[in-house]
Amino acid sequence: MPISGFPEWMPPQRMIEQRVIDRARATFELYGYAPLETRSVEPIETLLSKGETSKEVYLLSRLQAEKAEEGQLGLHFDLTVPFARFVTENAGKLQFPFKRYQIQKVWRGERPQEGRYREFLQADIDVVNRGTLPFHYDTEMPLVIGDVLSGLPVPRARIQVNNRKVCEGFYRGLGLAQTDEVLRIIDKLDKIGPNAVKEQLVAKVGATEAQADTCLALADISSEDGSFVDAVRKLGVSDPLLDEGLEELLRVVETARDHAPGLVVAELKIARGLDYYTGTVYETQLEGYERFGSICSGGRYDNLATVGNESFPGVGISIGVSRMLGILFGQQALAVSRSVPTCVVVALPHEELRADCDRTAGALRRRGIPAEVAPTAAKFGKQIQYADKRGIPYVWFPGRDGEPDTVKDIRSGEQVEADAAAWEPPAADLHPVISGS
């Protein structure tokens, strides 16, 4: 019986997911990120130390426990909090700046819906340093994600970037002291609309209608180039933190324009819900799928990882692999050329020849060609049908009475002599091909 929010992909979908994982891993390593996997559980106080997440955390308990156990554990809801814990515990063993990637499951007890699950896979990168972290790492994050997604048959990605210093400095310069609460309200803009946001700003943070309108004017600013700076200045608000944030945001946008035009857009309504972000924030939408929200998010956090008086500031970004694929699967926007990895089925003339056929399949496998022997010595028509139903392109026929082996492309009907020690399929047929619509 299915359990809501815990997806189980069919094999073709799982092959697509693995291809995404492979692409992410290869790209992360090209940029120098090292692999890491942290434990699935954390002390509950660690999980609840940052952000409004108490309703989302799954607690762990033993069935035979007679009473609540001390040191309650919970499943991690993201990969950044456990990573920060790992850094503080292992700071003496790490070389800084420390660049790592993690591709792991996470769990959140939220309401399941299309593309949003309770158990899902994330692909994270983060960079942390001791004391201070150079800002150029903030500009690198979108470029890495752009490279990952551009190598996949998914719709074009648009990474929306903002800087919390811009927002907090602007609100402060406007005379609104509760900047965190203003951020939380503005973050609801796409969900509840400008009128409801304005009402909440007036009711919850004591903003005047003019102040609320100016906050909405800031959130309305969007540009692919540096013109957002002038647009903010025209609103007539000044603050040193605002100046610092605008300078940082401009660097991210200009770097992206130099390396990947059209990838990044400054979007000043982006706030990100988690409380630990302190500067740059990212959200990513797929063109044509904007209604589903972000499939890749992250940002700069200067205070998440600390040991005594020493801090380990970081910046990171995470692809919601399950979220992205769930949305695309739901819209039938991704397909795979066959339902199994097999490239060749070795036909079985008689059961007593299975050992010979196994040797042929083994010779193909040793050369990197995925092969299997037919399950039974049925009529060759049924063995071809077995391959055809699975999208397997080739059937291998053992030679009889001294005749050479042959291999048949069952799509075109072409059949040629072949030697298992030398035959090569076209590169496009060797592995399943992922395509997008």
Side-chain angles (χ1 to χ4, degrees), residues 193-395:
N195 291 334
V197 164
K198 183 176 180 179
E199 290 175 5
Q200 289 193 16
L201 288 173
V202 172
K204 293 186 177 182
V205 300
T208 65
E209 290 207 0
Q211 288 173 323
D213 286 337
T214 307
C215 289
L216 288 170
L218 177 73
D220 198 45
I221 295 172
S222 173
S223 74
E224 293 184 9
D225 55 27
S227 62
F228 69 88
V229 176
D230 289 337
V232 174
R233 297 295 187 204
K234 287 179 181 177
L235 296 177
V237 176
S238 61
D239 184 87
L241 188 63
L242 171 62
D243 295 340
E244 184 180 332
L246 287 172
E247 181 183 347
E248 291 182 354
L249 184 56
L250 184 62
R251 285 181 61 186
V252 175
V253 171
E254 289 184 337
T255 300
R257 276 176 60 83
D258 287 343
H259 290 84
L263 174 65
V264 165
V265 57
E267 195 74 52
L268 271 61
K269 67 182 177 182
I270 301 301
R272 300 292 300 130
L274 294 173
D275 291 344
Y276 52 67
Y277 294 123
T278 56
T280 310
V281 286
Y282 317 94
E283 290 193 352
T284 307
Q285 295 182 343
L286 298 179
E287 289 192 353
Y289 294 81
E290 290 85 358
R291 67 189 183 280
F292 294 103
S294 179
I295 55 92
C296 174
S297 307
R300 160 77 70 138
Y301 47 92
D302 287 327
N303 306 311
L304 185 60
T306 58
V307 178
N309 294 326
E310 188 170 39
S311 65
F312 298 87
V315 63
I317 194 165
S318 177
I319 302 172
V321 176
S322 301
R323 176 167 173 73
M324 177 179 72
L325 291 181
I327 292 168
L328 295 176
F329 289 159
Q331 303 298 310
Q332 287 80 49
L334 287 174
V336 63
S337 59
R338 54 186 186 258
S339 63
V340 294
T342 310
C343 176
V344 184
V345 170
V346 179
L348 182 63
H350 302 287
E351 191 59 43
E352 56 266 27
L353 295 177
R354 181 171 290 277
D356 292 339
C357 293
D358 282 340
R359 281 190 286 273
T360 299
L364 292 168
R365 293 184 198 119
R366 282 191 293 274
R367 298 174 45 247
I369 301 170
E372 62 177 283
V373 178
T376 62
K379 292 181 178 179
F380 280 164
K382 287 191 175 181
Q383 296 188 46
I384 292 173
Q385 190 177 58
Y386 170 88
D388 186 49
K389 284 183 176 180
R390 290 158 179 79
I392 301 168
Y394 297 98
V395 175

Side-chain angles (χ1 to χ4, degrees), residues 133-202:
L133 179 71
F135 188 78
H136 63 79
Y137 289 113
D138 292 51
T139 70
E140 180 178 272
M141 293 289 145
L143 305 182
V144 179
I145 298 305
D147 280 358
V148 172
L149 297 178
S150 66
L152 296 169
V154 300
R156 184 176 179 227
R158 295 270 285 176
I159 301 178
Q160 301 173 321
V161 185
N162 196 6
N163 193 301
R164 284 202 171 182
K165 295 175 184 177
V166 171
C167 301
E168 292 176 18
F170 187 88
Y171 305 148
R172 196 167 67 184
L174 196 59
L176 299 174
Q178 300 178 55
T179 57
D180 287 348
E181 184 61 26
V182 178
L183 271 172
R184 275 190 281 273
I185 295 171
I186 292 294
D187 198 36
K188 303 175 185 176
L189 186 57
D190 286 340
K191 294 180 181 178
I192 65 176
N195 291 334
V197 164
K198 183 176 180 179
E199 290 175 5
Q200 289 193 16
L201 288 173
V202 172

Side-chain angles (χ1 to χ4, degrees), residues 38-43 46 80-90 304-305:
T38 56
R39 64 199 185 203
S40 298
V41 298
E42 296 290 339
T46 300
T80 305
V81 170
F83 172 60
R85 187 268 310 159
F86 177 88
V87 168
T88 58
E89 289 182 0
N90 295 279
L304 185 60

